[in-house]
Amino acid sequence: MPPDMWNLYAMMFKSRCFEEAVRQIWKDGQISGEMHLGMGEEAIAAGIVSQLIEGDALALEHRGTPPMLMRGVDPVALLREFMGQPDGLCGGMGGHMHLFAPEKLAASSGIVGASGPAAVGFALAGQMLRPGTVSVAFFGESATSQGMLMESMNLAVVWKLPVIFVCKDNAIGITTPAYMAVGGDLLARAQAFGMKAFEVDGADVAAVWLASEAALRHARGGGGPVFLWAHCIHLEGHFLGDGLLDMLRRPLYSFRKRIWPMMKGFFRRGGAPWNERLASLRQILGYVVVAQAQTARQNDPLARTRPALMTENPTRLGELENAIRHETGQIMATSLQARGSEI
Ligand SMILES: Cc1ncc(C[n+]2csc(CCOP(=O)(O)OP(=O)(O)O)c2C)c(N)n1
């Protein structure tokens, strides 16, 4: 059966609208601290989560909002959690990085690599208590060099656990390009553990859906863990207010805040030799170039999916998007109203 593109687009669009609203609320100062969004990763989340069944589990990282929403976690409870409110999903104690929805078997952690052990635990419980179910671990490419994630992969292979390890590779971890931190070929690494491994364009929701279907069939059938390497972008960079993206989006502001102080440092007397200073500047420029690639519209999964639906049935698409925008507005109103009533 081919993927239902309308359903996948609806899931992605809902997540995008929700996160756009979260971005505004964060800018208004109603969410404190860092905010990592999953804008750009929606196809990976939708392609997999749309195929999960009752009893499957999700182990997420610091970008857990899209999969949590797509799995059906209450959006108002999520937003209230982000706002640190007592009626949030976790009593306002977890924020957006540490979420737990026990009825959905979905948990997230801000500790990079921690989704590996959590997924293995979920899968072990599934193997014993809920045969035929799987657990899915989401993580970024930087997590692939974390010991606990590699230990989890090893254990999952040895115990033939039904885990789908999903690496969402956006080629940069905060300000460290992957070429400076991730050695070798990730497919080969996974295969070396003894896992089946797939590489997929994470902006192509149909491709993710098809790869996930094969991965899920393998894991549910008792074939053991699978590694899915999905390439993606982050439209908002590492987190809201990302300094590297700021240099491109707000050059004047960045000149005063970042570039001018760097130039002063560059021309300062004494200190490192000129060739080292130049090398550092070149390196920073390299980071900016990688960060800029995060905003490439041709790799935005929604922009990729929408044209075909528009051609197929523009009226249906318009109605779908309007309905989701309306629903998102209501979610926001309810979440903010509840906050107002407490103050
Ligand atoms: C164990 C650990 N080390 C460092 C950090 C700080 N940290 C938070 S996010 C992040 C980068 C993660 O990059 P990646 O795994 O590629 O995911 P992305 O943010 O790109 O989605 C780091 C180093 C952390 N949270 N946990």
Side-chain angles (χ1 to χ4, degrees), residues 1-342:
M1 199 177 63
D4 177 348
M5 296 305 288
W6 286 93
N7 179 45
L8 293 172
Y9 182 74
M11 288 172 82
M12 295 196 292
F13 190 70
K14 219 181 255 191
S15 175
R16 179 67 59 90
C17 287
F18 183 82
E19 290 204 308
E20 279 171 357
V22 167
R23 179 176 61 192
Q24 189 54 50
I25 291 170
W26 182 87
K27 281 184 181 161
D28 292 344
Q30 299 198 63
I31 295 173
S32 60
E34 296 173 352
M35 188 72 225
H36 307 84
L37 299 180
M39 285 187 193
E41 295 187 346
E42 293 95 339
I44 306 174
I48 299 168
V49 176
S50 61
Q51 301 186 68
L52 298 185
I53 58 170
E54 176 91 25
D56 287 345
L58 272 177
L60 310 166
E61 23 64 286
H62 52 287
R63 268 177 232 288
T65 310
M68 281 273 176
L69 275 178
M70 293 176 189
R71 192 67 174 131
V73 174
D74 176 13
V76 174
L78 272 179
L79 192 51
R80 299 285 293 163
E81 183 59 35
F82 299 174
M83 292 159 73
Q85 294 299 313
D87 58 353
L89 186 70
C90 304
M93 303 299 283
H96 77 282
M97 283 193 265
H98 301 102
L99 304 166
F100 185 39
E103 74 289 355
K104 301 282 180 195
L105 295 177
S108 73
S109 167
I111 300 171
V112 170
S115 55
V120 162
F122 272 134
L124 182 61
Q127 196 182 53
M128 296 166 116
L129 307 171
R130 302 179 299 276
T133 62
V134 301
S135 80
V136 182
F138 278 156
F139 48 87
E141 80 290 341
S142 305
T144 56
S145 300
Q146 274 286 1
M148 65 179 139
L149 184 61
M150 289 197 255
E151 290 173 42
S152 314
M153 290 179 172
N154 182 57
L155 207 55
V157 170
V158 172
W159 289 351
K160 257 193 158 190
L161 295 175
V163 185
I164 315 292
F165 290 101
V166 184
C167 176
K168 302 170 295 158
D169 186 349
N170 71 317
I172 185 167
I174 311 185
T175 50
T176 307
Y179 60 77
M180 293 177 72
V182 184
D185 177 306
L186 291 182
L187 271 195
R189 268 207 220 177
Q191 283 158 351
F193 275 112
M195 262 187 281
K196 214 177 174 48
F198 299 98
E199 184 174 5
V200 70
D201 175 357
D204 180 342
V205 72
V208 176
W209 190 94
L210 288 168
S212 307
E213 191 197 29
L216 288 163
R217 198 179 327 110
H218 179 87
R220 286 195 205 288
V226 183
F227 180 77
L228 204 65
W229 186 15
H231 300 276
C232 66
I233 57 169
H234 287 159
L235 289 162
E236 284 296 337
H238 179 70
F239 43 29
L240 287 176
D242 185 307
L244 293 177
L245 284 189
D246 233 23
M247 287 202 203
L248 300 157
R249 289 177 174 172
R250 298 194 297 168
L252 276 180
Y253 170 84
S254 295
F255 187 82
R256 194 165 44 84
K257 288 286 281 188
R258 297 191 173 91
I259 300 170
W260 179 237
M262 271 196 288
M263 282 171 68
K264 279 203 300 197
F266 185 83
F267 289 111
R268 210 189 201 121
R269 277 182 198 220
W274 289 105
N275 60 337
E276 282 182 26
R277 295 182 194 201
L278 262 178
S280 300
L281 272 190
R282 216 175 291 131
Q283 203 167 40
I284 293 167
L285 200 66
Y287 300 163
V288 176
V289 171
V290 179
Q292 185 180 23
Q294 301 300 305
T295 58
R297 199 174 146 70
Q298 70 270 24
N299 290 328
D300 175 345
L302 278 93
R304 283 262 203 105
T305 314
R306 196 173 186 276
L309 302 182
M310 188 67 176
T311 309
E312 190 185 320
N313 192 337
T315 313
R316 181 177 173 188
L317 183 63
E319 283 171 4
L320 176 75
E321 290 181 340
N322 283 340
I324 291 172
R325 280 196 197 98
H326 179 71
E327 190 192 333
T328 308
Q330 284 185 323
I331 291 165
M332 296 304 138
T334 311
S335 306
L336 296 172
Q337 218 172 41
R339 184 169 206 261
S341 65
E342 245 165 50

